[in-house]
Amino acid sequence: MLVLSRRIGESVVIGGGSPEAVTITVLEVRGDVVRIGIDAPRSVAVHRAELLAELADANADAASPPDTAVASLSEALRSRP
């Protein structure tokens, strides 16, 4: 991980020189909260990391049926004529 120090109003450019470049600007620092502005092309998805982790967990839960459902389906398949 690259770690940089920036002041309010300063920016970091990711992918500079590319049409897909993303600019992140420090807008405000208040206590332990940093407000940032992100300027990115529409083709670049920008998400909060905690939401992506929550979505991945929800998808994993949805893709893994409960053991009772698997057992019930197995029994139904075995009892087919």
Side-chain angles (χ1 to χ4, degrees):
M1 174 188 306
L2 172 66
V3 178
L4 300 171
S5 297
R6 302 277 67 201
R7 298 184 195 292
I8 294 173
E10 293 181 337
S11 301
V12 173
V13 178
I14 300 170
S18 160
E20 299 293 313
V22 175
T23 302
I24 301 170
T25 304
V26 177
L27 301 176
E28 179 182 20
V29 178
R30 189 181 312 167
D32 61 349
V33 175
V34 178
R35 292 185 68 221
I36 58 173
I38 302 169
D39 184 18
R42 288 192 174 273
S43 60
V44 175
V46 177
H47 301 283
R48 291 185 289 171
E50 66 272 18
L51 294 181
L52 284 179
E54 190 175 306
L55 180 62
D57 289 345
N59 286 340
D61 289 345
S64 301
D67 291 340
T68 55
V70 173
S72 175
L73 180 58
S74 295
E75 182 60 31
L77 290 172
R78 272 188 239 123
S79 63
R80 282 179 34 185

